[in-house]
Amino acid sequence: MGMPVITPGNGTREQAITDLIESVALQEAALSHILNAEGEKIQAVVAMENVTPEELLMVNQSVENMTNTIARLEILLQSKLELFDFNNSPIISSTSQAYSSIIT
């Protein structure tokens, strides 16, 4: 997966909202890859022969630290989205309507 390219907007509020949502979505995707790697790390260690309880605890602590860090990053991402009042935004309501029509 290459580096995503976000082109600068034209300065409108709608473009700023779109750019913000896009940046949060890209960060969420990156965090999901990290969480997946942490799960694979646990699976690899558990599958090892002769793994000691101390090693399991060390890996568990490492994964717990990473998960806690990701949880804090999720709070920051949420605060980015809360910068805008999405309930009164025409772009969001039209996007929500389009999404609703797709899933129903």
Side-chain angles (χ1 to χ4, degrees):
M1 184 167 136
M3 284 296 290
V5 177
I6 299 176
T7 56
N10 60 8
T12 66
R13 183 175 193 279
E14 288 78 17
Q15 187 61 49
I17 292 171
T18 301
D19 291 347
L20 177 74
I21 293 171
E22 184 178 0
S23 73
V24 169
L26 291 170
Q27 291 171 9
E28 290 286 353
L31 293 177
S32 73
H33 288 290
I34 294 170
L35 284 173
N36 186 58
E38 292 299 305
E40 289 176 1
K41 181 193 311 184
I42 291 172
Q43 289 174 346
V45 172
V46 168
M48 291 171 47
E49 290 186 29
N50 302 322
V51 64
T52 66
E54 291 81 17
E55 291 170 325
L56 287 172
L57 288 172
M58 284 177 30
V59 170
N60 186 66
Q61 184 65 48
S62 170
V63 171
E64 182 179 351
N65 289 341
M66 182 59 69
T67 303
N68 289 338
T69 299
I70 290 173
R72 288 190 299 272
L73 290 171
E74 289 288 350
I75 292 168
L76 291 173
L77 292 176
Q78 181 181 2
S79 68
K80 283 175 75 171
L81 291 175
E82 290 172 352
L83 290 172
F84 297 98
D85 180 12
F86 290 125
N87 293 325
N88 295 323
S89 172
I91 191 170
I92 298 303
S93 49
S94 65
T95 303
S96 297
Q97 290 169 358
Y99 179 72
S100 295
S101 68
I102 292 171
I103 61 172
T104 55

